[in-house]
Amino acid sequence: MRCCVRLSIPMLCSLLAACASTQSAEESRLLKLADDIAAHGDYATAASMYERAAEVPGGDGVDIHVRLGDAKLAAGDFQGAVDSYRAALKQDINNADALFGLGSAQLRLGKVESAERNLRHAAPKIDTPAAWSRLGAAQALLGQGDASVTDFSRAVELAPDDPDLQTNLAVAQALAGRGNDAVALMRDVTASPLAEERHFRSLILVLVMAGEDAQAQSIRIPDMPVSRRQSLIERAQQIRDISTPSEQARAIGLAMNQ
């Protein structure tokens, strides 16, 4: 004898809601765990948690794929990050965080034109120092000196007390042929008690790029041996002698400092 179990519509809806609630709870648990792991710097493990969260039916796929991309980018899996951001964009083509992440990953992979295109769309929407800095780096690598200076300037406007952002702007100015502006800015940066060796290295670079080799030789740099200074000067001279700003930017490694 066949037994039929009939569910009323209210009971069926209640069961479906319970399933959705369970799925949402599982997704939330995995995301919280992944976020905590990422906060401690274990991005590879965090990525595996985000991947599990992405498999839970009915979740916010865009947000999860962006978080997964961020974790893979931080872990150094740049192609994996590209794939995750693309998965997010397939669901929301205008998602600014996914565009920013995609451009950032492409920049790391050396796909500079693609990176610049995506970062150019993302930066105004996100409007953070990181977004404008990465766009500025991409443009410097493409030899777009004036645009690069404009974007690094916006980054400095958003965080005016950050010496690293100021240094990036000064390097962009030097690449764009604005040596006097670059030197003046780096003198301000290195006059601060918070200046570190990397800032003095950049001061030497912009001095040499501006043709001020004698000043680079004589300027006071705390705790830097003469041999180290001379090595930096010679390297800066090699960069200055490169024929195009885009290749100069590659030699400096501007994008790798973002």
Side-chain angles (χ1 to χ4, degrees):
M1 181 175 181
R2 184 174 299 173
C3 178
C4 296
V5 178
R6 296 183 179 180
L7 298 177
S8 67
I9 290 177
M11 182 181 296
L12 181 61
C13 291
S14 178
L15 286 172
L16 291 173
C19 291
S21 176
T22 301
Q23 292 167 354
S24 178
E26 175 65 5
E27 178 188 304
S28 297
R29 184 187 71 81
L30 290 169
L31 289 177
K32 184 179 185 305
L33 179 60
D35 289 344
D36 289 343
I37 293 171
H40 287 85
D42 187 354
Y43 299 109
T45 302
S48 68
M49 293 293 102
Y50 289 127
E51 286 174 338
R52 287 176 58 187
E55 295 172 356
V56 177
D60 184 351
V62 175
D63 176 65
I64 295 173
H65 282 299
V66 169
R67 293 199 214 186
L68 175 57
D70 290 345
K72 288 184 175 181
L73 183 62
D77 180 6
F78 304 136
Q79 185 56 55
V82 165
D83 295 339
S84 296
Y85 293 127
R86 286 189 182 280
L89 288 168
K90 286 179 180 178
Q91 298 181 53
D92 180 4
I93 193 63
N94 296 313
N95 186 278
D97 292 325
L99 277 173
F100 171 55
L102 177 59
S104 300
Q106 289 169 328
L107 189 60
R108 295 293 190 178
L109 288 168
K111 299 178 179 179
V112 183
E113 292 184 5
S114 296
E116 192 274 340
R117 180 188 62 184
N118 290 317
L119 291 168
R120 181 161 29 87
H121 289 298
K125 297 177 182 179
I126 296 176
D127 199 26
T128 62
W132 290 109
S133 293
R134 290 179 194 176
L135 176 57
Q139 290 170 333
L141 289 166
L142 292 173
Q144 301 172 6
D146 291 339
S148 177
V149 169
T150 297
D151 292 328
F152 278 118
S153 296
R154 177 57 182 161
V156 171
E157 286 178 11
L158 293 171
D161 297 324
D162 189 322
D164 292 325
L165 293 178
Q166 293 173 322
T167 298
N168 287 338
L169 172 57
V171 173
Q173 289 171 330
L175 287 167
R178 305 181 190 182
N180 291 337
D181 293 338
V183 170
L185 180 53
M186 283 313 304
R187 286 188 183 278
D188 288 342
V189 171
T190 54
S192 168
L194 298 177
E196 299 183 38
E197 183 182 305
R198 65 181 180 275
H199 303 123
F200 286 99
R201 293 200 304 267
S202 294
L203 173 59
I204 290 175
L205 173 65
V206 300
L207 282 168
V208 172
M209 294 280 287
E212 301 290 349
D213 297 47
Q215 288 192 46
Q217 292 279 3
S218 62
I219 195 167
R220 184 178 178 277
I221 300 179
D223 305 314
M224 182 177 287
V226 174
S227 60
R228 172 65 170 156
R229 179 204 295 260
Q230 186 58 37
S231 175
L232 291 171
I233 291 172
E234 292 173 0
R235 178 58 180 148
Q237 289 169 335
Q238 293 172 355
I239 293 172
R240 183 184 62 193
D241 293 340
I242 295 173
S243 59
T244 63
S246 60
E247 290 304 316
Q248 287 176 331
R250 291 183 187 279
I252 292 170
L254 189 60
M256 298 305 294
N257 292 326
Q258 302 312 309

